[in-house]
Amino acid sequence: MAQSDNNTLAVPAEESKYVTVFNDPVNFNAKHPLHSSWTLWFDNPGKKSNANNWEQSLKELITFDTVEDFWGVYNNIMKTCDLAISSNYHLFKQGIKPMWEDPANKRGGKWSIQLPRNKTMGEIDNIWLFTMLACIGEAFEYENEVCGAVVSVRKAFFRIAVWTRSSDNQDMAMSIGRTLKKAANIHGTMEFQSHHDSSSNAGKAWTV
Ligand code: MGP
């Protein structure tokens, strides 16, 4: 480490491959890049929505690619517990629309759990926060498999889901399900279902 002119410790850029706050401890303005850029979406489709017009209610809110910008977004949007019934937040890798029809999702599926609203009100904000942190922080062994995450606010429950790129590899799916449960401290059984089965209301595939 080098002693800079104003007596603060500075890491010369060539000594570290990462840009951290220590590269400029005076201005403290370095940002920590995420591996992927992520886009936050919101929707509240309402009762008149169906599979044909559902996309129209999707609103793209913001894209970020650093840790600091994630917190900037998180600290300035409404918490899940305060959202109106029928609302959803979708956090997806940039370029992937949070819908079954997107090329990245169309052969995929999702891990999900419905948590009773009355019992989960005090915990849902942290469960969603830690779900997002697991996604953007690449907690998953098969990171490339993860397309995004969704939190849904319904009259009787909150639903947390993580969407995957494929739905035919049980080992990969189980690994993601187990990691998600642990990272977000989710109690209860999560179910995996392919989007194809969700849209046709077919049975569940795997549980964790
Ligand atoms: P939902 O909100 O995922 O299910 O989908 P939920 O919470 O069980 O239902 P709700 O009525 O309580 O909100 C609800 C409906 O939205 C679906 O039946 C579709 O009509 C539409 N929809 C949801 N998604 C995720 C999609 C999608 O990806 N593509 C299309 N075309 N429609 C969708």
Side-chain angles (χ1 to χ4, degrees), residues 5-187:
D5 289 349
N6 50 8
N7 263 349
T8 53
L9 288 176
V11 180
E14 65 276 13
E15 273 183 32
S16 167
K17 65 179 174 142
Y18 300 106
V19 178
T20 72
V21 289
F22 296 114
N23 287 65
D24 188 351
V26 178
N27 295 314
F28 220 72
N29 59 0
K31 288 188 178 179
H32 297 78
L34 299 171
H35 188 250
S36 304
S37 299
W38 294 82
T39 302
L40 184 68
W41 305 71
F42 172 82
D43 74 321
N44 186 333
K47 291 205 168 65
K48 289 196 181 131
S49 159
N50 59 51
N52 297 325
N53 64 15
W54 174 87
E55 186 183 356
Q56 290 164 18
S57 67
L58 264 182
K59 288 187 184 63
E60 187 175 333
L61 298 183
I62 195 159
T63 297
F64 55 85
D65 60 3
T66 67
V67 175
E68 287 77 5
D69 288 343
F70 165 75
W71 287 110
V73 171
Y74 181 75
N75 290 330
N76 286 288
I77 58 171
M78 225 187 241
K79 298 278 180 280
T80 303
C81 67
D82 295 327
L83 291 177
I85 307 293
S86 300
S87 304
N88 309 278
Y89 276 135
H90 315 252
L91 182 70
F92 275 66
K93 283 179 180 154
Q94 186 181 24
I96 304 178
K97 274 193 165 185
M99 52 194 299
W100 311 318
E101 293 87 346
D102 188 279
N105 296 322
K106 68 178 182 200
R107 278 177 289 279
K110 66 167 190 263
W111 279 107
S112 70
I113 186 167
Q114 293 186 175
L115 302 160
R117 194 180 163 84
N118 51 357
K119 290 192 191 150
T120 323
M121 205 45 158
E123 292 166 55
I124 189 61
D125 291 332
N126 275 344
I127 295 174
W128 173 235
L129 172 61
F130 284 107
T131 299
M132 291 192 289
L133 290 175
C135 290
I136 68 171
E138 294 179 73
F140 300 100
E141 186 182 359
Y142 301 101
E143 175 53 34
N144 195 40
E145 264 292 294
V146 174
C147 293
V150 186
V151 63
S152 303
V153 180
R154 299 292 180 269
K155 204 170 169 195
F157 58 85
F158 297 104
R159 183 173 54 234
I160 289 279
V162 164
W163 286 33
T164 58
R165 207 172 274 274
S166 64
S167 55
D168 55 359
N169 185 323
Q170 187 168 6
D171 288 345
M172 284 201 303
M174 294 301 285
S175 165
I176 289 169
R178 285 192 203 102
T179 303
L180 170 63
K181 259 191 101 165
K182 206 168 157 196
N185 199 18
I186 292 171
H187 301 287

